[in-house]
Amino acid sequence: MSLLAKRTQQIDSSGIRRVFELARTMKDPINLSIGQPDFDVPNAVKSAAIGAIENGNNSYTPTNGIVPLREQLIADEKAFTGRDYSLEQMLVTSGVSGGLFLSLLALVDEGDEVIIPDPYFVMYKHLVNLNGGTPVYLDTYEDGFSINADKLAALITPKTKILLLNSPGNPTGRIFSTTELQAIANVCDKHGVLIITDEIYREFAYAPMQSIAQFTDNCLLLGGYSKSFGMTGWRLGYAAGPKEIIEAMAMLQQYSFVCAPSVAQYAALACPQTDMSLQLSDYAIKRDVMFDALSSHFEVGAADGAFYLFAKVPEGHTGSSFTELAIKNNVLIIPGNVFSERDTHFRVCYTVPNEKLLAGAKILCSLTG
Ligand code: PMP
């Protein structure tokens, strides 16, 4: 008999494992699979982290996070969404992953349905399953990866509890427009469905970006510093929303993560004084370079944000078979079925120097013939 709990069987990581096994055979790959920016933490923030360590800020922090950081986040959210979150409504988490984990643990009961627009960030499906929930997929392929409010409404049942939204999106790069957000909020409010909005890529926006938190109270907002300040390893994120939910998440954090890393929390206080606009505008250029290079040979979805392109594979291929072919030709991409119930696309991350992007795109285009 296995020692492992049944819930471990709810997770299947074989798709991505296979890609990484294949990748290990590659010598010097053009790696278009890295889901983190290629810029480092800015010096001022590094210095703040070193200062925090030297000043002895190395202990546990309050479960909810240090007050100055929560105040900073409240001010940021007031500026972006217009919302006035109170301190009790703001929880500092171990990355957005921590926020996703705690929120779904706090909210999902056995049998609860969670609507996930497909394609989706890999963690969503597995975390819903892990908590005994049922993922219900809203296929967005026919709608240019946008959300059709009628299709959303049609999926709602008495068991529907949550809609998991991600804008700018991984893997599509899609940003939902104001009209779309309003329509989504209306449907969810009408049916009492909570929206969890994952806005980790908010700063990587090459089109107007708004938060759905502007349009409904019924919303838990997740954000973080990982991507925008190149600090994915520092594990810093936050959750803002209804007091009852934040309190439950904090209670669960108390008995799991305890708190987000203290040094990262203190260092993040230097983030507002740090100008990242150069790094971020560099990504807008990368987006253009890669979009132009691929769209001559592939159908590529609108890439309004984040640092991903989601492209349709050529005739006769699945996402998996095309990925294998790309890997044989020294380009590492991720097959669409890692992010989707379909296997018709592949994801490219444009988080590498432009020469590599162009070299990778040239090879990928050559494989379509
Ligand atoms: N949400 C999305 C959509 C992501 O792509 C990622 C990271 N790949 C995360 C959340 C997790 O980010 P963090 O480093 O803040 O845990």
Side-chain angles (χ1 to χ4, degrees), residues 95-97 100 121 124 166 170 198 200-201 226-227 235 308:
V96 173
S97 308
L100 284 166
F121 172 48
Y124 299 164
N166 177 212
N170 176 6
D198 176 347
I200 189 163
Y201 297 105
S226 280
K227 314 281 179 176
R235 315 307 308 127
Y308 307 108

Side-chain angles (χ1 to χ4, degrees), residues 33-71:
S33 77
I34 309 169
Q36 56 183 349
D38 63 347
F39 52 79
D40 200 4
V41 175
N43 285 337
V45 181
K46 282 184 185 167
S47 302
I50 294 164
I53 292 173
E54 288 178 346
N55 291 333
N57 287 318
N58 301 305
S59 322
Y60 300 126
T61 73
T63 306
N64 293 55
I66 57 172
V67 171
L69 178 57
R70 283 153 70 209
E71 284 172 346

Side-chain angles (χ1 to χ4, degrees), residues 6-132:
K6 287 189 203 71
R7 76 177 71 86
T8 61
Q9 289 158 18
Q10 300 295 324
I11 298 183
D12 170 26
S13 56
S14 56
I16 192 85
R17 255 204 328 264
R18 174 154 173 70
V19 175
F20 287 124
E21 267 158 29
L22 280 172
R24 267 204 290 276
T25 64
M26 301 168 85
K27 281 210 187 67
D28 181 22
I30 298 175
N31 191 343
L32 305 180
S33 77
I34 309 169
Q36 56 183 349
D38 63 347
F39 52 79
D40 200 4
V41 175
N43 285 337
V45 181
K46 282 184 185 167
S47 302
I50 294 164
I53 292 173
E54 288 178 346
N55 291 333
N57 287 318
N58 301 305
S59 322
Y60 300 126
T61 73
T63 306
N64 293 55
I66 57 172
V67 171
L69 178 57
R70 283 153 70 209
E71 284 172 346
Q72 175 174 306
L73 290 165
I74 287 168
D76 289 349
E77 287 311 322
K78 169 88 181 149
F80 195 81
T81 66
R83 286 209 161 255
D84 255 324
Y85 292 108
S86 67
L87 274 176
E88 294 73 39
Q89 290 180 290
M90 181 62 75
L91 174 71
V92 181
T93 57
S94 289
V96 173
S97 308
L100 284 166
F101 185 84
L102 293 173
S103 57
L104 294 170
L105 190 63
L107 291 163
V108 175
D109 266 328
E110 199 72 31
D112 283 346
E113 293 176 1
V114 178
I115 299 181
I116 303 179
D118 180 348
Y120 45 77
F121 172 48
V122 274
M123 245 180 227
Y124 299 164
K125 162 186 185 168
H126 299 303
L127 287 180
V128 169
N129 280 327
L130 197 61
N131 285 293

Side-chain angles (χ1 to χ4, degrees), residues 275-323:
D275 183 9
M276 299 301 283
S277 52
L278 263 183
Q279 287 92 325
L280 296 173
S281 58
D282 195 35
Y283 272 74
I285 297 171
K286 285 184 186 301
R287 190 276 311 256
D288 291 346
V289 166
M290 204 49 175
F291 189 86
D292 290 348
L294 287 180
S295 53
S296 57
H297 287 70
F298 296 94
E299 190 184 314
V300 189
D304 321 300
F307 30 69
Y308 307 108
L309 295 175
F310 203 54
K312 195 169 178 191
V313 294
E315 278 291 313
H317 271 290
T318 61
S320 306
S321 73
F322 188 69
T323 300

Side-chain angles (χ1 to χ4, degrees), residues 136-158:
V136 174
Y137 300 104
L138 171 57
D139 188 296
T140 64
Y141 285 84
E142 308 309 327
D143 301 303
F145 305 125
S146 69
I147 292 180
N148 176 313
D150 294 332
K151 289 186 189 170
L152 170 64
L155 289 181
I156 295 176
T157 75

